[in-house]
Amino acid sequence: MSVKHPPSAYTYLRHKKKFPHVWCPGCGIGIVMGAIIRAVDGLGLDQNHVAIISGIGCTSRMPVYMDFNTMHTTHGRALAFATGLKLVRPDMHIIVVMGDGDALAIGGNHFIHAARRNIGLTAVILNNHIYGMTGGQVSPSTPVGMVATTAPYGNTDPPFPITDLSIAAGAAYVARSTVYHSHELEKYIRTGLEVPGFAVIEAVSYCHTTVGRLNKLGGAVEMMRNLKETSLTRRMAEKRSPEELEGKIVRGVFYHDACRKEYCALYQEIQEKAGGAKLAARRISSMEMV
Amino acid sequence: MTMPRMMQGNEACAAGAIAAGCLFFGGYPITPSTDIAEHLARELPRVGGVFIQMEDEIASMAAVIGASIGGAKAMTATSGPGFSLMQENIGYAAMTEVPCVVVNVMRLGPSTGRPTSPSQGDVMQARWGSHGDHPIIALAPASVLECFEMTVRAFNLSERYRIPVIVLIDEVVGHMREKVILPPREDIKVLERLRPSEPPEWYKPYGSSPSDVPPLAPFGSGYRYHITGLHHDEAGFPTNRVNEVRPWTRRIFRKIKANVHRIARCETDGVEDARTVIVAYGSVARAASEAIKTARAKRRKVGLLRLQTLWPFPTRTVDAVCREARRVIVPEMNLGQMAIEVERIVGDRKVRRVNRIDGEMITPREILDAIEGK
């Protein structure tokens, strides 16, 4: 059996310009980045037609390393920036990478509204349960009881169930995997890119530098092993009781609605009604590659 | 388009946006600016553009920048509280040098204040609202026709200098209806941002250039590059190096400072031999004109210097016009935000302020009283 090399990583990385990266050794963010690159490559998307947009935080440093149209925006607002870009360039594939704090706390409003509109963006939320870049403060996905620098006696605030929230808000595709299951993650991101509407892929990761140290959960290896041992597929989870699922990570596709109209397509209908659809189409084709 | 018609300031602003080639509006309803959004919700899809009502003003400003980087001329319109929410992303646009237009129809603040009452209280917010030092351009129309013209100009300046441009309309002008004759399409000068001509691998979105305004490639045009709110090098990648941060900061200030004479516009009326000069802008300048008419009938030598551009401040013009005058009167619907600038130039002993912050207009009578030294 011939070994399949990761698809020409050099094609997609700004290897000459931006490395070494800022992440701690052993961090899961690189795995998510790899999964995104493989998903894009697997679909054979033109790099010129892919944009990666992020907010602020460890995860949001990702775009700078990738050779696409990349934009590192303000904290929590990546989806709003991406909404503007997508509406004027509906032909582009736009991936929005966010951390849990970025997407769910400061960006929570933009997140539910992007899902409500079902705009064709692929939102990858890297959930490491903490604010890593600022040194380990509680985030809206920190489990209750976990110690953080701003919850020295343990976190009291219940975490957001990201997948439930996404489905309730109207996302067309909702899936979850972990950085241990990198191939599965790649598959979900790939499907997310193919779905015309708003796709949410939660990539569960860890922060050994802050969470691991503060909660004595070990280093990157132990935390990675933990992802392997505490996670199970949806099918497996269906056979377990809620008590048995306590503290477990359920992986899988939670929602996939292929019928719901994507927002830009809906707006195109508006443009047709108003009589400007042809102008819009001409404008978009004039923006195409030089 | 050239027929005389009755038009409202906000409506003229929306018409100006369409005339300037605006193709994207992202906004959130707020009195007294909402008419602009309503007009553009109807007009933009007709010309192949996009209107979206975002979830808040923060998102609106973000979407505007996103659309602009996608190659569309983009704007938003808001009022004081919304303008405050937009500040972080206005700073982002200044930092990343992405053209965009923000219309702020000023209402009485602070906070919720009086939503339908006029004010000029956001003059300093327009200048310093976002954190950190950065240049900004702000225009102040005083008539319905100027709402049209200055919105076109705001887009042109924004595209030429890669900078956010603020249009500060006060509520009186925004909601005022008067007869206008809009210029025919062929007379409207519309500028487009400079696009790169070099091959993508040589492109530097923040490179040095003789004009200090590097070309801007839209996303998806084959030029792949990075945009960040972090301090960045010429290629757009984050940097902590002093020798890359400093030249960038100098360049973004230089691109405006070197062009103040092109950007900052004023209008004068009888200032040549004036003993008293009134420095005003927006609707207050109209009251000043009326006061001057009455004063001149009483043989008083009074002139008007109307600021059409507030930022960058037209320092040289103000200095030249006010130097020989004995008195300078600065009436404004705030507690002297522009008076501070005038005093900085002509000295505070010569300046008399006329202020109102109760949500009522400054009347010609109040300005006349100041002229007569009452």
Side-chain angles (χ1 to χ4, degrees):
Chain A
M1 201 185 110
S2 67
V3 180
K4 196 177 173 244
H5 286 289
S8 46
Y10 281 96
T11 315
Y12 297 98
L13 295 178
R14 287 171 171 152
H15 50 97
K16 279 187 200 151
K17 294 166 187 156
K18 280 326 299 171
F19 287 86
H21 58 67
V22 297
W23 302 311
C24 307
C27 180
I29 297 175
I31 295 170
V32 179
M33 186 164 109
I36 291 174
I37 286 176
R38 285 193 302 277
V40 168
D41 187 78
L43 289 169
L45 304 180
D46 178 354
Q47 268 167 282
N48 289 316
H49 275 92
V50 176
I52 316 259
I53 300 190
S54 69
I56 295 290
C58 291
T59 307
S60 291
R61 286 303 186 95
M62 197 195 286
V64 75
Y65 307 113
M66 299 153 94
D67 192 8
F68 298 107
N69 301 278
T70 56
M71 195 171 187
H72 174 223
T73 72
T74 48
H75 197 15
R77 321 299 174 199
L79 282 167
F81 279 87
T83 299
L85 177 61
K86 181 71 183 177
L87 277 164
V88 299
R89 289 302 303 268
D91 57 320
M92 283 180 80
H93 289 274
I94 303 176
I95 304 166
V96 183
V97 286
M98 298 167 283
D100 41 298
D102 201 32
L104 303 170
I106 187 161
N109 199 24
H110 312 307
F111 179 67
I112 55 174
H113 284 274
R116 173 176 72 90
R117 294 188 187 104
N118 194 34
I119 187 159
L121 303 169
T122 308
V124 178
I125 303 179
L126 185 133
N127 182 3
N128 58 6
H129 314 287
I130 204 84
Y131 286 86
M133 187 158 270
T134 44
Q137 295 77 31
V138 272
S139 93
S141 67
T142 305
V144 171
M146 189 185 262
V147 173
T149 57
T150 48
Y153 306 105
N155 176 34
T156 48
D157 307 7
F160 262 137
I162 299 176
T163 51
D164 295 350
L165 180 70
S166 311
I167 296 164
Y173 179 78
V174 181
R176 181 198 286 133
S177 187
T178 82
V179 292
Y180 179 81
H181 306 85
S182 63
H183 286 282
E184 189 181 72
L185 192 60
E186 174 196 330
K187 193 174 75 187
Y188 293 161
I189 295 170
R190 194 172 156 154
T191 315
L193 278 163
E194 287 176 314
V195 170
F198 189 66
V200 182
I201 296 98
E202 179 188 349
V204 182
S205 186
Y206 51 82
C207 181
H208 54 289
T209 309
T210 60
V211 178
R213 215 168 356 189
L214 289 165
N215 294 277
K216 301 192 171 57
L217 294 173
V221 175
E222 289 75 22
M223 292 190 87
M224 182 67 100
R225 188 178 293 133
N226 185 55
L227 288 181
K228 177 191 172 190
E229 286 163 2
T230 60
S231 73
L232 68 175
T233 62
R234 268 193 88 188
R235 195 177 294 172
M236 285 154 76
E238 275 162 14
K239 296 173 194 151
R240 311 265 176 101
S241 68
E243 292 76 36
E244 284 175 308
L245 288 175
E246 194 76 18
K248 295 272 191 274
I249 301 160
V250 183
R251 309 186 326 263
V253 178
F254 293 82
Y255 192 71
H256 190 165
D257 181 351
C259 299
R260 203 177 149 209
K261 265 251 166 90
E262 192 268 332
Y263 190 77
C264 298
L266 275 173
Y267 198 79
Q268 220 172 322
E269 289 174 14
I270 300 289
Q271 286 169 329
E272 267 160 33
K273 243 187 238 176
K278 274 187 189 159
L279 281 169
R282 208 179 305 151
R283 177 182 57 76
I284 291 161
S285 63
S286 77
M287 301 268 193
E288 292 282 310
M289 281 177 49
V290 283
Chain B
M1 247 184 133
T2 52
M3 289 292 284
R5 57 194 278 199
M6 283 295 282
M7 225 179 180
Q8 191 203 41
N10 283 346
E11 195 185 343
C13 169
I18 297 289
C22 173
L23 283 172
F24 184 88
F25 182 100
Y28 188 82
I30 184 166
T31 304
S33 77
T34 316
D35 319 274
I36 299 171
E38 287 173 344
H39 280 284
L40 289 172
R42 202 172 51 230
E43 295 303 322
L44 277 171
R46 286 185 183 163
V47 296
V50 176
F51 170 91
I52 184 170
Q53 184 172 317
M54 293 299 287
E55 51 273 19
D56 57 30
E57 285 90 347
I58 301 172
S60 303
M61 195 59 222
V64 163
I65 298 168
S68 182
I69 212 63
K73 289 185 184 179
M75 78 177 291
T76 186
T78 187
S79 188
F83 193 50
S84 298
L85 286 175
M86 288 176 182
Q87 291 301 337
E88 186 193 6
N89 285 336
I90 292 174
Y92 183 85
M95 181 62 150
T96 55
E97 296 175 79
V98 176
C100 54
V101 172
V102 180
V103 178
N104 174 7
V105 187
M106 292 181 285
R107 68 193 225 183
L108 185 67
S111 189
T112 314
R114 272 179 63 180
T116 54
S117 297
S119 152
Q120 293 175 321
D122 300 348
V123 169
M124 279 295 172
Q125 188 182 200
R127 180 64 197 89
W128 298 114
S130 198
H131 58 281
D133 289 274
H134 57 89
I136 204 92
I137 295 176
L139 313 176
S143 68
V144 172
L145 181 62
E146 267 193 352
C147 283
F148 178 90
E149 291 170 343
M150 284 197 188
T151 307
V152 175
R153 187 157 187 257
F155 276 100
N156 289 347
L157 290 170
S158 169
E159 296 285 317
R160 170 175 279 179
Y161 297 108
R162 283 184 63 178
I163 190 171
V165 177
I166 319 289
V167 184
L168 288 174
I169 304 178
D170 58 68
E171 191 269 348
V172 179
V173 176
H175 276 168
M176 180 171 63
R177 281 177 198 280
E178 63 184 351
K179 189 177 87 176
V180 282
I181 302 171
L182 296 183
R185 186 174 279 227
E186 58 272 19
D187 289 357
I188 300 168
K189 198 177 114 192
V190 171
L191 282 177
E192 306 293 332
R193 68 190 68 166
L194 195 64
R195 298 249 170 114
S197 52
E198 63 268 44
E201 57 275 22
W202 294 355
Y203 176 54
K204 283 188 175 149
Y206 301 97
S208 52
S209 74
S211 69
D212 283 322
V213 187
L216 182 61
F219 271 15
S221 65
Y223 290 82
R224 296 191 304 272
Y225 61 99
H226 187 62
I227 297 177
T228 175
L230 290 164
H231 271 285
H232 41 265
D233 60 19
E234 293 192 336
F237 295 125
T239 182
N240 283 328
R241 295 169 63 166
V242 175
N243 64 358
E244 286 173 336
V245 174
R246 197 188 295 144
W248 177 86
T249 316
R250 289 210 174 130
R251 179 176 62 74
I252 66 153
F253 275 95
R254 204 167 49 221
K255 73 181 178 183
I256 299 306
K257 216 170 178 182
N259 291 296
V260 174
H261 61 290
R262 288 192 182 91
I263 301 166
R265 284 190 186 162
C266 300
E267 199 183 67
T268 56
D269 172 22
V271 291
E272 293 72 24
D273 61 343
R275 289 180 153 201
T276 303
V277 172
I278 301 174
V279 181
Y281 53 95
S283 66
V284 177
R286 297 170 75 107
S289 281
E290 188 60 32
I292 287 168
K293 245 187 252 169
T294 318
R296 283 190 190 147
K298 296 180 184 174
R299 295 176 175 253
R300 286 183 183 272
K301 289 184 175 169
V302 191
L304 174 68
L305 173 63
R306 183 164 73 84
L307 310 177
Q308 293 168 302
T309 307
L310 301 183
W311 309 113
F313 191 74
T315 306
R316 285 196 180 169
T317 313
V318 172
D319 185 28
V321 170
C322 300
R323 197 179 296 153
E324 300 303 324
R326 280 201 201 157
R327 275 188 318 157
V328 177
I329 298 171
V330 187
E332 348 173 46
M333 289 186 282
N334 57 46
L335 283 185
Q337 297 188 19
M338 262 302 159
I340 296 173
E341 289 296 307
V342 178
E343 285 163 0
R344 181 173 65 79
I345 294 153
V346 306
D348 56 0
R349 284 166 62 189
K350 247 174 36 174
V351 174
R352 171 148 178 202
R353 301 175 177 196
V354 177
N355 308 109
R356 271 194 98 146
I357 52 157
D358 54 5
E360 295 298 320
M361 289 174 64
I362 294 179
T363 60
R365 180 78 244 172
E366 286 167 275
I367 297 170
L368 190 65
D369 284 349
I371 294 169
E372 293 175 343
K374 282 181 193 166

